[in-house]
Amino acid sequence: MQDRDQADAIAADRPYVALLRGINVGGRNKLPMRELAAMFMSVGCKGVRTYIQSGNVVFRASQELADRLPALVSAEIAASRGFQIPVILRTASEFSRIVRDNRFLAAGPDPTKLHVGFLADTPDPAHVARLDPDRSPPDVFEVQGREVYLHFPAGVARSKLDNAYFDRTLHTVCTIRNWRTVCRLNEMVGDA
């Protein structure tokens, strides 16, 4: 009976991706991935794996735990490291949709010029309308739900389309990942 209960509990868990903003960037907010993975495990996540050093975590959890997870992990990081880090979650099915729905792919751009901004909340349409399409030419973007698809033809380094701009204009939290990372996380969460 215990094996069946354990199997039911595992089946109730769903795969997720957590995207932490500002971890190990420019020598600031240093947090080893082993320590980050341990934080996720300590709050009850299963099958925890990290990808590169910038705060990408794939794991399994119940819906109830996932609902509380951003606050739990942020509080744990604040307590152990002394800095505040936003945590944004997506399910495996959401990640699959994100990869599938990138309209910039149809034009055949260099995939190294593509990025996705992950938003903590769905922005109000009035806030989306305030985004300036001419803010950073030749860069272009498209907001779809809780994602901002970005194409940086000249590279991301000089773009004015950054986390701060999207946070301020959309009144939510944004964290941006390059297309290669997005695709790799999609593979990982699909295997979780």
Side-chain angles (χ1 to χ4, degrees):
M1 186 70 161
Q2 184 179 11
D3 289 340
R4 182 177 174 178
D5 290 341
Q6 188 176 15
D8 289 344
I10 290 170
D13 290 345
R14 296 172 54 188
Y16 291 89
V17 175
L19 305 151
L20 286 75
R21 184 170 91 180
I23 294 287
N24 301 326
V25 176
R28 295 180 312 124
N29 298 338
K30 292 184 178 185
L31 179 60
M33 292 301 98
R34 181 177 291 156
E35 186 177 327
L36 179 60
M39 289 178 187
F40 276 76
M41 289 184 283
S42 75
V43 298
C45 297
K46 310 274 190 300
V48 178
R49 293 183 293 159
T50 62
Y51 177 67
I52 64 177
Q53 297 296 311
S54 60
N56 304 295
V57 184
V58 174
F59 62 95
R60 295 186 67 83
S62 67
Q63 178 70 50
E64 178 187 0
L65 176 57
D67 290 344
R68 297 179 300 124
L69 192 82
L72 291 171
V73 171
S74 288
E76 183 72 24
I77 292 170
S80 69
R81 291 290 174 154
F83 47 81
Q84 294 290 326
I85 295 296
V87 179
I88 296 174
L89 293 186
R90 295 293 187 270
T91 65
S93 60
E94 287 171 324
F95 237 86
S96 178
R97 178 195 46 79
I98 290 163
V99 170
R100 184 186 64 240
D101 290 353
N102 188 339
R103 294 184 197 155
F104 292 128
L105 289 172
D110 177 353
T112 65
K113 308 295 184 183
L114 299 178
H115 290 68
V116 177
F118 295 88
L119 306 174
D121 305 295
T122 303
D124 184 291
H127 296 146
V128 174
R130 290 188 189 114
L131 292 170
D132 179 3
D134 298 319
R135 177 176 173 80
S136 186
D139 304 332
V140 291
F141 63 87
E142 180 178 318
V143 178
Q144 291 182 34
R146 293 187 301 158
E147 279 70 50
V148 180
Y149 292 91
L150 299 149
H151 180 211
F152 299 117
V156 68
R158 291 196 173 117
S159 180
K160 294 178 184 175
L161 299 174
D162 59 12
N163 288 328
Y165 176 67
F166 290 115
D167 285 1
R168 182 175 61 252
T169 309
L170 298 177
H171 299 270
T172 188
V173 174
C174 179
T175 186
I176 297 173
R177 297 297 188 274
N178 67 48
W179 190 244
R180 179 176 162 207
T181 296
V182 171
C183 290
R184 180 64 185 125
L185 289 171
N186 186 49
E187 291 170 9
M188 290 173 68
V189 74
D191 293 340

